[in-house]
Amino acid sequence: MKYFKILFSVFVLVMTLASCNSNKSEKASDELAVYQCPMKCEGEKTYSEAGSCPVCKMDLQPIESEDSKILNENDISDESIFNLTSTWNTEEGEKIQLEDLKGKTLVMVMIYTTCKAACPRLVADMRNIEAKIPETSLKDLRFVLVSIDPETDTPERLKAFAIENFMDGEQWTFLQGTEGSVREFANVLAVKYKQISPMDFSHSNIISVFNTEGELMHQQEGLGVDNKETIETILQLTQ
Amino acid sequence: MKTVLRLTICLLIFWVNTANCQSKMVTVKGDTYIPLYGRDSMQVTITDFQMDVYPVTNAQFLEFVKKYPKWQRSQVKKIFADNNYLINWKSDIALGDSQALNAPITNVSWFAANDYCECQGKRLPTVDEWEYVAMSNETLPDARTLESYNEYILGWYEKPKTFNNEIGSTFKNYWNIYDLHGLVWEWTSDFNSVLISGESRNDVDKDSSLFCGSAAVGATDLMNYAAFMRYAIRGSLKAKYSMKNLGFRCVQDINK
């Protein structure tokens, strides 16, 4: 009986502590500030305290440690779409998270395969963009087509659509989510859509370009519009 | 044996406590109706569902951010909320001086509202569901043709700072639900499905190349100015926006 009480109280204590832990803010990193002469009179010599240079008598200046500038490999910036943690099916039948696309420049669009009006033109717009990108940049690029009709657009269907539209190359990815995850994704892209009949959706025609960290860099709105800016953005990002 | 009994009682008390924290819900019986903007301006069928009686309050949201620190003002990712997110709070876990515990939470983004409902095992209502419940007055399920109904809502639009009022301070409607009109605007799950135009402020041209099927969607009742305002504001929102007169409530499907 006593054992049980002790066990229980320990359990409660651990739970309480554990919930507190997550609240702790990260330690300030400026404890490790390093100072250096702005003229570098003594080469790369550094000091741990503020003061003046023994050679030129100028005030020592703090050096920003490089770590604070470069994000940790695993860190995701606040503006990144990789903050979305939902799981998606690809046309190859794999399960991925958006974060798995990290490291490549992403060109994303939302479509559905049964669409007869705007989507073929949107898809054509995507292919036109691809055609204007030099071979060398293509390997750093991913074209991602997200279905807004996750019920109809199964991985098999997406695969068939990819083959039919000559978009089966490695740089093309098709994604099937759930109703909730697609809605959330559309909200990040500011894409609006609504099912207007069982077969048809009306939706905004927006092509979005993301950098390798998943941050939105450019959006092209409308059908068959001049894609010069979009391509310039992509070329800059893949250089 | 005694131990087991005690443990059961403990767990029971715990469970009752958490169950109490869940806000009260009532059942809304589904039907078919014609919303202001619908599929091909046609009828929309609503299946039965449960809806929160009141909008989510400051106190409830405060509990939520304590439990999920990622939604605290200083922790929230910029992609999920703009700078106005909980802007009037004193700190991450303290309300502002002028904010009543029982007033509806506002200055929250769609992502925060959406996650709040998901964490309670609920979801945000769709536009069609929300409008369906909101077209009732005290006695009728559909009071949209009554002059008094429209006057009440338009009268509210003229009142300043109603978001500071406590929940339950407006009328109880046909479904026993409070505060759909008269307190705050509310987020809906598919607010971004409104295609009046690309973005109401950007392009006035309905036939712009931004949408396919935009011409298929039109207002069924242009007299319903109050509802028109709601659709217009939804059309201008982005999911990370936080506004001081925009709150939310949750709904739940009924498992059959």
Side-chain angles (χ1 to χ4, degrees):
Chain A
M1 191 58 221
K2 228 173 187 176
Y3 266 123
F4 176 74
K5 267 189 190 165
I6 292 169
L7 264 176
F8 189 72
S9 34
V10 166
F11 175 73
V12 169
L13 203 74
V14 167
M15 288 300 280
T16 332
L17 285 180
S19 62
C20 289
N21 257 344
S22 54
N23 276 342
K24 262 184 206 164
S25 54
E26 285 147 46
K27 270 182 202 159
S29 59
D30 45 32
E31 284 170 17
L32 297 165
V34 176
Y35 296 86
Q36 193 177 40
C37 170
M39 303 299 292
K40 296 199 175 168
C41 299
E42 297 173 285
E44 295 298 317
K45 189 174 176 186
T46 56
Y47 297 84
S48 57
E49 279 171 40
S52 54
C53 170
V55 181
C56 65
K57 307 290 178 207
M58 278 176 79
D59 285 345
L60 297 177
Q61 281 177 357
I63 318 170
E64 276 182 47
S65 76
E66 303 228 326
D67 302 342
S68 64
K69 278 187 183 170
I70 300 166
L71 280 174
N72 194 323
E73 279 271 306
N74 299 319
D75 274 356
I76 297 170
S77 88
D78 262 19
E79 305 271 8
S80 169
I81 51 163
F82 301 144
N83 285 309
L84 298 174
T85 52
S86 43
T87 308
W88 302 75
N89 296 317
T90 71
E91 85 283 7
E92 305 291 346
E94 293 165 43
K95 282 196 187 309
I96 64 162
Q97 294 194 339
L98 291 178
E99 205 188 333
D100 297 333
L101 302 171
K102 195 176 174 181
K104 300 211 174 187
T105 302
L106 303 173
V107 185
M108 294 186 143
V109 73
M110 299 189 78
I111 53 134
Y112 61 105
T113 60
T114 46
C115 173
K116 294 285 173 284
C119 304
R121 288 176 65 191
L122 258 185
V123 167
D125 281 348
M126 287 287 273
R127 273 207 307 267
N128 286 342
I129 292 174
E130 187 205 15
K132 290 195 184 160
I133 306 289
E135 200 69 21
T136 45
S137 298
L138 268 185
K139 66 176 189 332
D140 298 320
L141 206 55
R142 264 295 177 94
F143 294 92
V144 183
L145 294 92
V146 178
S147 169
I148 50 178
D149 185 8
E151 264 178 42
T152 316
D153 291 337
T154 57
E156 297 78 38
R157 203 182 172 110
L158 290 171
K159 177 78 178 171
F161 184 83
I163 294 170
E164 201 178 300
N165 288 282
F166 313 103
M167 300 160 101
D168 199 28
E170 218 173 89
Q171 65 273 33
W172 297 95
T173 303
F174 292 75
L175 295 180
Q176 175 206 29
T178 60
E179 206 182 310
S181 63
V182 171
R183 187 60 72 183
E184 190 178 45
F185 184 75
N187 277 337
V188 169
L189 260 58
V191 168
K192 293 169 187 258
Y193 70 96
K194 184 178 179 73
Q195 194 166 21
I196 48 173
S197 75
M199 287 294 280
D200 269 311
F201 292 77
S202 54
H203 60 104
S204 357
N205 302 313
I206 297 181
I207 294 177
S208 314
V209 181
F210 296 86
N211 69 10
T212 51
E213 294 298 319
E215 293 154 344
L216 184 61
M217 303 309 278
H218 180 75
Q219 285 196 314
Q220 167 184 320
E221 294 186 18
L223 287 172
V225 295
D226 186 11
N227 57 17
K228 204 173 133 206
E229 263 185 68
T230 312
I231 286 163
E232 266 172 26
T233 314
I234 295 172
L235 287 179
Q236 269 171 22
L237 288 171
T238 49
Q239 257 166 21
Chain B
M1 198 56 223
K2 229 175 174 182
T3 345
V4 176
L5 199 72
R6 276 191 196 177
L7 186 69
T8 327
I9 291 171
C10 268
L11 281 176
L12 208 67
I13 290 171
F14 186 67
W15 179 76
V16 167
N17 263 338
T18 46
N20 266 345
C21 288
Q22 295 260 334
S23 48
K24 224 170 93 193
M25 301 187 96
V26 289
T27 303
V28 174
K29 214 169 152 28
D31 197 2
T32 303
Y33 80 110
I34 301 178
L36 187 64
Y37 289 92
R39 293 181 179 188
D40 298 331
S41 310
M42 294 276 285
Q43 291 190 323
V44 164
T45 304
I46 304 289
T47 52
D48 297 2
F49 65 97
Q50 289 197 301
M51 189 179 234
D52 284 353
V53 174
Y54 304 107
V56 174
T57 63
N58 281 327
Q60 287 168 332
F61 202 79
L62 184 64
E63 280 310 304
F64 173 71
V65 298
K66 280 182 186 163
K67 202 166 161 196
Y68 301 96
K70 71 168 175 170
W71 288 113
Q72 288 172 7
R73 196 177 58 185
S74 65
Q75 309 269 324
V76 73
K77 306 268 186 214
K78 283 202 193 81
I79 195 172
F80 294 140
D82 66 7
N83 290 333
N84 286 325
Y85 181 73
L86 302 180
I87 193 167
N88 291 320
W89 286 29
K90 244 190 276 178
S91 77
D92 272 354
I93 46 167
L95 298 176
D97 289 327
S98 59
Q99 291 174 307
L101 281 172
N102 248 345
I105 180 74
T106 56
N107 280 116
V108 285
S109 66
W110 178 89
F111 294 103
N114 190 49
D115 203 49
Y116 179 95
C117 291
E118 262 177 34
C119 286
Q120 325 265 328
K122 304 180 189 175
R123 60 179 174 81
L124 286 172
T126 63
V127 173
D128 288 343
E129 284 168 344
W130 197 95
E131 289 290 328
Y132 175 72
V133 182
M135 68 189 184
S136 69
N137 66 359
E138 287 95 333
T139 48
L140 292 172
D142 185 356
R144 287 180 296 177
T145 50
L146 293 184
E147 212 169 290
S148 62
Y149 166 83
N150 289 308
E151 266 170 12
Y152 179 85
I153 301 175
L154 293 176
W156 162 43
Y157 290 171
E158 288 167 4
K159 272 184 230 155
K161 297 196 172 176
T162 48
F163 55 88
N164 275 337
N165 296 351
E166 299 204 343
I167 56 162
S169 57
T170 71
F171 71 93
K172 175 162 98 174
N173 78 3
Y174 176 82
W175 305 104
N176 297 322
I177 292 170
Y178 286 87
D179 303 331
L180 286 165
H181 306 293
L183 215 56
V184 288
W185 305 80
E186 292 179 14
W187 280 113
T188 46
S189 61
D190 55 347
F191 75 94
N192 60 357
S193 67
V194 180
L195 302 173
I196 296 175
S197 70
E199 216 201 297
S200 310
R201 291 163 302 177
N202 279 354
D203 38 45
V204 189
D205 184 9
K206 205 170 164 187
D207 297 318
S208 75
S209 59
L210 202 54
F211 294 107
C212 61
S214 71
V217 203
T220 55
D221 178 13
L222 283 171
M223 292 303 287
N224 199 341
Y225 176 70
F228 193 84
M229 288 278 285
R230 284 197 298 277
Y231 281 92
I233 198 117
R234 286 182 197 127
S236 70
L237 286 173
K238 283 187 180 167
K240 68 173 182 174
Y241 286 4
S242 321
M243 284 179 12
K244 72 173 174 204
N245 54 358
L246 181 64
F248 68 100
R249 75 178 73 209
C250 312
V251 297
Q252 202 166 28
D253 292 315
I254 296 171
N255 292 323
K256 281 179 185 161

